[in-house]
Amino acid sequence: MLINKLKEERTLSKAEWTALIAGRNEELSAYLFQLAREERHRYYGHDVYVRGLIEFTNYCKNDCFYCGIRKSNRNANRYRLSEEEILSCCEAGYHLGFRTFVLQGGEDGFFTDEKLVHLISAIRSKYPDCAITLSIGERSYGSYKAFFDAGADRYLLRHETANACHYARLHPGNLRAKDRQKCLWDLKEIGYQVGTGFMVGSPYQTAENLAEDLLFIKELNPHMIGIGPFIPHHDTPFAEEKAGTLELTLFLLGLLRLMIPKVLLPATTALGTIDPKGRELGILAGANVVMPNLSPVGVRKDYSLYDNKICTGEEAAECRLCLEQRMQAIGYTIVTSRGDSLNE
């Protein structure tokens, strides 16, 4: 059985990955999740790490066909948080037990290297025991190095799809898969804990594309992998496309846990958006991270990458408490630590 081969060898060929994904069924999934939980418990126990997400700008210079904050969306209500507002989010999060802050935003030229270095330095100075994660897209090697030197620890950059032709069908011509992948290799070389990932069920995606994603991730050997279902946004060219499924997303989470057992694997907000129990099911499929929102309630609905995003009206404390209760209900515990990856 290919699942057993994966558990033993930690990888498969492209043909084997494709066959496994295309041939999945309920019985196979249940077996996979059991193995994935065993691996997760071996290295991380029943702990679930929390990351405090701060969505600090929804301006973006890019025009990705799937994204609600693409530059061509004239209906987006744009905002930028000031450095003071961002630091206030960190302060609120710190008091709630968060020891990782994730600064996420569109590729916004307003936030120059100088401004970001100042911001990162301020957070590092004020919260020396916390991890600082950036998720701000493609930048130069020099920019990444400057942020790292200022105190950033981690960088999240989903490769979205490893196949260049598929990538070109999801993005305008000025964006290329190989450029995005080069950024990930640059980040690793600099010394970041690196996270990548992809959308599940994006338009035109095939089982072969997913196999290529898994092979790319195996080669990169990241510290974190963030995957979530594609969910259409009403103000994009993909408004009428079908969403990705909970079932396939969970299956891929299980595969990723078996492929790289020590990796950090979030149960994403998108999972919780397509199913009320999505995040719990993600944890039970092998995930071990959740990312509640620390952004000011007044701007949360405006960071709209896809439709019907959950938790846009809740205060940070509500999100934190809600997730704690949800995790306890399935036998897991939210822990207040940096939660560094064991994958080296």
Side-chain angles (χ1 to χ4, degrees):
M1 187 190 289
L2 287 174
I3 293 283
N4 291 332
K5 182 178 180 182
L6 174 60
K7 186 176 185 298
E8 290 169 13
E9 300 183 11
R10 303 303 182 193
T11 192
L12 298 171
S13 68
K14 181 179 175 182
E16 288 171 329
W17 279 125
T18 303
L20 182 56
I21 293 165
R24 69 191 186 279
N25 57 42
E26 203 171 313
E27 184 182 357
L28 187 65
S29 295
Y31 180 57
L32 169 63
F33 300 153
Q34 176 193 331
L35 295 180
R37 284 194 296 274
E38 289 172 4
E39 293 296 320
R40 177 243 205 276
H41 296 156
R42 178 174 292 121
Y43 297 107
Y44 292 103
H46 286 70
D47 291 347
V48 176
Y49 299 128
V50 285
R51 315 303 197 203
L53 184 63
I54 303 170
E55 297 160 335
F56 68 98
T57 174
N58 73 344
Y59 283 85
C60 191
K61 69 179 184 182
N62 294 329
D63 228 1
C64 305
F65 302 149
Y66 48 83
C67 183
I69 64 170
R70 64 197 305 262
K71 72 174 181 181
S72 291
N73 183 5
R74 304 295 177 218
N75 296 321
N77 186 32
R78 304 289 178 177
Y79 74 91
R80 294 183 179 107
L81 299 184
S82 67
E83 181 171 309
E84 292 72 29
E85 287 174 310
I86 295 169
L87 288 170
S88 177
C89 293
C90 292
E91 183 176 8
Y94 192 85
H95 289 306
L96 289 169
F98 292 92
R99 294 299 179 264
T100 294
F101 303 123
V102 181
L103 302 180
Q104 184 175 81
E107 294 193 20
D108 181 0
F110 173 83
F111 285 97
T112 60
D113 287 3
E114 185 179 15
K115 285 178 180 167
L116 286 166
V117 164
H118 191 272
L119 171 62
I120 294 162
S121 299
I123 297 172
R124 172 55 61 229
S125 173
K126 197 167 185 183
Y127 305 104
D129 57 331
C130 292
I132 301 171
T133 302
L134 303 178
S135 181
I136 51 176
E138 296 178 31
R139 297 254 178 170
S140 70
Y141 187 100
S143 297
Y144 289 150
K145 183 73 164 60
F147 304 153
F148 185 78
D149 292 343
D153 306 276
R154 304 170 182 160
Y155 204 103
L156 306 179
L157 184 72
R158 285 185 172 186
H159 69 273
E160 300 300 2
T161 174
N163 181 281
C165 294
H166 184 219
Y167 194 92
R169 300 186 77 177
L170 305 180
H171 302 87
N174 64 314
L175 298 176
R176 299 183 300 175
K178 68 177 185 179
D179 295 335
R180 199 159 184 90
Q181 290 168 21
K182 182 181 184 301
C183 287
L184 286 162
W185 291 111
D186 286 349
L187 290 160
K188 279 206 82 173
E189 183 179 307
I190 289 166
Y192 282 92
Q193 295 175 43
V194 174
T196 191
F198 55 88
M199 290 180 293
V200 179
S202 59
Y204 319 116
Q205 188 181 69
T206 64
E208 287 83 0
N209 294 152
L210 290 169
E212 291 175 78
D213 287 322
L214 293 166
L215 289 169
F216 170 73
I217 289 173
K218 182 64 178 178
E219 181 186 8
L220 181 69
N221 193 32
H223 303 86
M224 301 162 277
I225 306 167
I227 69 168
F230 162 74
I231 302 175
H233 187 286
H234 62 279
D235 281 325
T236 69
F238 290 161
E240 301 303 318
E241 297 288 340
K242 286 198 318 189
T245 65
L246 175 75
E247 176 267 328
L248 179 54
T249 307
L250 295 174
F251 191 79
L252 287 159
L253 281 172
L255 295 181
L256 288 165
R257 175 59 69 199
L258 284 194
M259 182 173 78
I260 309 179
K262 297 181 183 178
V263 81
L264 291 171
L265 206 53
T268 62
T269 302
L271 259 184
T273 298
I274 63 168
D275 188 281
K277 296 282 189 185
R279 286 174 295 183
E280 290 95 320
L281 292 169
I283 297 294
L284 293 170
N288 65 330
V289 174
V290 289
M291 297 174 68
N293 205 324
L294 291 179
S295 307
V297 172
V299 301
R300 286 191 196 179
K301 66 183 186 307
D302 297 323
Y303 199 83
S304 175
L305 308 184
Y306 50 81
D307 284 346
N308 304 314
K309 183 179 171 186
I310 57 172
C311 299
T312 56
E314 293 181 358
E315 296 287 350
E318 290 180 279
C319 283
R320 168 78 164 76
L321 182 61
C322 170
L323 277 171
E324 194 157 19
Q325 292 169 341
R326 284 172 172 266
M327 294 303 108
Q328 285 175 351
I330 57 170
Y332 289 82
T333 305
I334 294 280
V335 293
T336 54
S337 72
R338 282 171 48 112
D340 288 300
S341 179
L342 299 176
N343 194 47
E344 296 299 334

